[in-house]
């Protein structure tokens, strides 16, 4: 004799074990990440208050309060303004940030406005760099020590 059981809506939800490395903890609002996937193309302006990772294509402008990461395979044809910009893919456009990292395999064709810049061995960069301090840092006195050991002010 067969026994039948009434199915509820929750029985129809497929449950799978997470993939290795899957982070099952809930993200806090400050840890939210927007991912532009490898098969996605975005044309226009992107404004965000969270990290943005680009694996696909972006054309236009990006204004992000947070970090922009252009992953390998990601292509950005846009000016980018963000707190931190990490380039592992290709960017054509100017970038303006507090810290810029162009990592091995990353390419930037455009100008950089950032007080902190890291260019790794194997990275490609063609443009100009303006490393003037931002956010009023230019008004602070210089307290660096010269080669003779005396402080300048």
């Amino acid at each position: 004799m067969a026994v039948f059981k009434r199915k509820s809506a929750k029985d129809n939800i497929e449950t799978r074990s997470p993939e290795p490395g899957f982070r099952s903890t809930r993200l806090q609002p400050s840890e939210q990440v927007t991912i532009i996937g490898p098969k996605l193309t975005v044309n226009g302006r992107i404004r965000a208050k969270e990290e943005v990772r680009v694996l696909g294509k972006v054309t236009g402008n990006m204004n992000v309060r947070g970090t922009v990461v252009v992953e390998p395979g990601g292509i950005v044809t846009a000016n980018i303004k963000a707190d931190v910009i990490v380039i592992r893919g290709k960017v054509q456009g100017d970038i303006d940030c507090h810290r810029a990292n162009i990592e091995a395999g990353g390419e930037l064709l455009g100008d950089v406005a950032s007080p902190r810049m890291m260019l790794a061995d194997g990275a490609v960069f063609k443009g100009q760099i303006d490393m003037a301090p931002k956010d009023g840092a230019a008004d602070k006195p210089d307290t660096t020590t010269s080669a003779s050991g005396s402080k300048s002010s």
Side-chain angles (χ1 to χ4, degrees):
M1 174 182 235
V3 177
F4 295 97
K5 189 168 122 180
R6 177 177 257 163
K7 289 188 173 185
S8 67
K10 73 176 186 178
D11 292 333
N12 292 329
I13 298 172
E14 181 182 333
T15 58
R16 297 180 3 196
S17 61
E19 297 177 20
F22 178 79
R23 189 167 102 177
S24 62
T25 58
R26 195 168 213 162
L27 294 175
Q28 297 301 318
S30 63
E31 297 176 319
Q32 295 294 320
V33 178
T34 297
I35 298 175
I36 298 171
K39 296 181 180 179
L40 183 64
T41 299
V42 176
N43 294 312
R45 185 180 349 179
I46 295 175
R47 292 177 57 165
K49 293 181 181 177
E50 61 192 23
E51 180 175 328
V52 177
R53 291 186 172 265
V54 179
L55 290 91
K57 296 180 181 178
V58 174
T59 304
N61 288 305
M62 298 178 72
N63 191 340
V64 177
R65 271 195 189 163
T67 301
V68 172
V69 181
V70 181
E71 297 288 1
I75 300 172
V76 176
T77 306
N79 293 328
I80 305 172
K81 184 172 184 173
D83 296 332
V84 176
I85 300 172
V86 179
I87 300 173
R88 299 176 183 139
K90 297 181 180 183
V91 174
Q92 183 173 356
D94 298 338
I95 65 173
D96 184 352
C97 56
H98 295 288
R99 187 176 79 223
N101 293 352
I102 306 174
E103 297 186 356
E107 296 181 21
L108 173 61
L109 303 176
D111 295 340
V112 176
S114 177
R116 296 175 63 195
M117 172 85 177
M118 193 274 301
L119 187 63
D121 188 27
V124 175
F125 171 64
K126 183 175 182 181
Q128 297 181 6
I129 302 173
D130 177 1
M131 296 184 75
K134 295 181 182 282
D135 297 333
D139 298 333
K140 294 179 183 175
D142 182 12
T143 59
T144 57
T145 305
S146 70
S148 65
S150 62
K151 286 193 174 190
S152 61
S153 38

